[in-house]
Amino acid sequence: MKTQIDVAVLGLGNMGKTHVGAAKESPYVNRIYGYEPDETFRKSRSAELDVIPESLENIIGNPAIRLVYIASPNEAHVPQAIMALRAGKAVLCEKPMGMSLEEAEKLIAVQEETKGFLQIGFELHYSNMYTQVKQWIDEGLIGTPVNIQCRYYCCEFHKKNSWRSLHSGSFLIGEKLSHYLDLQRWWFDQPAKSVYSVSAPKVVPYFNHRDNHQIITKYNDGGIATLNFIMYIAESFHDDPLQEMIAKQSDDGHFLQYHICGTRGAIETDVFRRRIRRWEFNDGAEQLESKIVETITFDPKEDLQWFHNTHGQNVRVAELVARGLPSEVPARDAYESMKICFAAEQSESEDRIIML
């Protein structure tokens, strides 16, 4: 018989709903508690999601609650995570890992002091497209990675007067683009040496934050990674029940592609083509010969498992905690990725290379 644990979800918005859904699916979860700071909303939203409404104080003080999922507003991430860790609870916390590098360092210090389970929500580590890249790299099929390029173009999806559009600074890096910077660091499997990031003038007038980022990261062994992000060029998405979403977006300016180039081959991931490909390089008589040797595609029904597997991550974390296993995305690794994010923000603000 499987060991079951009680869990709590802090923050019951859209992301909180995702955490609740995963907890309900896990055979390792017994009771699910939900928290929102406004008591009236907490009760009504808990009823909608069929969880037990509870105060933060009682959640932290309840020893039966072994795991806390944190899907609260960004500024609450670190205070709530520290509170839970000090109470002996395991924590899965959404990004960003703090509102500043100093806050992230404080969280890491508490995790190392308590030796508690802390995992940051980098769910792309559980997404088939990106774990396949990691497997091919680890098998040596492309040699040593030296150049990783990411092109991410989308439509404006924050909307006017939303908390995201009203958020100041360049928080998009820490909250959204951190996923893609983290993948680059994971694939290179070494510390970053320096970061240089620039941003062109805004096109979206009602954003308080930047709407584009061009981030270049240099790694210790000389490898280079770039992330080219534009949040307005693609055709605005309007739900059409007669068209499948990814198919509609596949040729309207949306791109989410990686090219991972190594000394013996290369890999391409393409979300909107639902495809991952691998090239092999050979020393030909007249030139370097490149050949596509492997192509993998996937069914639309498997989209989220392949390129954004939040659900799978959350189900897996409940199992890890129930079985007493360690985090699969160590907090220190997540911190190294967040260092790149904060350095990119600093680079844009100060118009200079940031050494790490």
Side-chain angles (χ1 to χ4, degrees):
M1 182 177 177
K2 290 183 172 66
T3 299
Q4 287 194 315
I5 60 173
D6 291 353
V7 305
V9 178
L10 311 185
L12 299 177
N14 287 335
M15 185 55 71
K17 181 180 178 181
T18 298
H19 287 282
V20 168
K24 286 183 176 181
E25 186 171 301
S26 170
Y28 293 91
V29 171
N30 183 19
R31 287 179 291 267
I32 306 170
Y33 295 84
Y35 169 73
E36 277 285 337
D38 181 87
E39 186 174 1
T40 301
F41 180 65
R42 181 196 314 158
K43 290 179 178 178
S44 63
R45 184 61 168 163
S46 293
E48 288 177 26
L49 300 179
D50 191 27
V51 299
I52 304 166
E54 189 57 278
S55 68
L56 182 59
E57 180 182 15
N58 287 346
I59 286 171
I60 296 301
N62 184 347
I65 298 175
R66 298 261 308 280
L67 169 61
V68 172
Y69 296 97
I70 298 178
S72 302
N74 295 345
E75 58 271 14
H77 287 180
V78 168
Q80 290 180 349
I82 288 176
M83 194 182 305
L85 286 169
R86 291 204 182 282
K89 302 184 187 306
V91 174
L92 173 62
C93 183
E94 288 298 330
K95 319 90 39 221
M97 188 183 186
M99 302 298 288
S100 66
L101 184 59
E102 292 73 23
E103 199 177 30
E105 289 171 347
K106 184 178 180 182
L107 177 56
I108 283 291
V110 171
Q111 184 276 322
E112 293 180 348
E113 171 197 332
T114 62
K115 296 180 171 55
F117 182 109
L118 171 63
Q119 187 160 321
I120 304 302
F122 284 127
E123 64 266 16
L124 301 191
H125 286 248
Y126 294 85
S127 302
N128 295 349
M129 176 175 280
Y130 304 120
T131 58
Q132 182 65 68
V133 172
K134 180 65 170 171
Q135 180 180 325
W136 281 343
I137 291 173
D138 289 348
E139 290 174 353
L141 295 183
I142 65 166
T144 301
V146 295
N147 195 336
I148 300 177
Q149 306 285 322
C150 179
R151 176 171 62 158
Y152 184 5
Y153 298 165
C154 59
C155 61
E156 196 285 280
F157 54 85
H158 282 181
K159 308 296 176 62
K160 294 180 178 178
N161 297 316
S162 70
W163 70 267
R164 285 186 168 90
S165 67
L166 296 175
H167 202 291
S168 61
S170 54
F171 90 109
L172 257 179
I173 298 176
E175 182 173 88
K176 182 68 176 173
L177 302 186
S178 55
H179 284 297
Y180 306 102
L181 295 170
D182 174 69
L183 284 179
Q184 294 172 347
R185 189 203 57 79
W186 188 38
W187 293 332
F188 271 127
D189 194 26
Q190 60 183 273
K193 180 178 181 180
S194 64
V195 177
Y196 181 59
S197 186
V198 292
S199 182
K202 286 191 301 184
V203 169
V204 184
Y206 50 84
F207 278 0
N208 282 355
H209 57 76
R210 301 178 178 107
D211 58 17
N212 68 98
H213 300 281
Q214 327 299 317
I215 304 170
I216 304 172
T217 308
K218 187 169 185 177
Y219 284 80
N220 278 0
D221 287 350
I224 296 291
T226 68
L227 171 56
N228 181 0
F229 174 75
I230 301 175
M231 190 180 172
Y232 52 75
I233 192 171
E235 186 175 276
S236 298
F237 176 72
H238 300 287
D239 191 35
D240 183 345
L242 299 180
Q243 294 189 69
E244 189 275 320
M245 183 179 72
I246 298 298
K248 180 180 185 300
Q249 293 178 323
S250 64
D251 194 29
D252 65 3
H254 280 86
F255 291 94
L256 183 44
Q257 296 173 313
Y258 269 103
H259 289 93
I260 304 100
C261 302
T263 53
R264 291 176 46 204
I267 302 167
E268 174 195 67
T269 69
D270 194 324
V271 164
F272 292 100
R273 287 189 174 94
R274 293 190 173 96
R275 184 181 72 192
I276 177 170
R277 299 191 291 179
R278 180 170 66 85
W279 286 259
E280 186 176 274
F281 300 158
N282 291 293
D283 184 16
E286 297 182 350
Q287 66 188 81
L288 181 144
E289 301 283 353
S290 175
K291 182 181 180 181
I292 296 173
V293 293
E294 195 165 357
T295 299
I296 300 173
T297 59
F298 52 93
D299 189 271
K301 295 177 182 178
E302 300 175 331
D303 278 352
L304 294 184
Q305 296 172 38
W306 275 86
F307 57 78
H308 222 90
N309 196 13
T310 307
H311 183 86
Q313 168 199 251
N314 295 352
V315 170
R316 176 61 174 162
V317 165
E319 178 183 355
L320 293 174
V321 174
R323 295 175 58 193
L325 298 173
S327 166
E328 291 176 331
V329 183
R332 176 61 69 171
D333 280 9
Y335 170 71
E336 291 298 321
S337 294
M338 292 307 301
K339 280 170 62 176
I340 297 172
C341 297
F342 289 121
E345 292 184 358
Q346 183 181 358
S347 178
E348 291 184 9
S349 297
E350 300 178 7
D351 193 21
R352 66 183 180 93
I353 297 172
I354 305 299
M355 304 301 297
L356 299 179

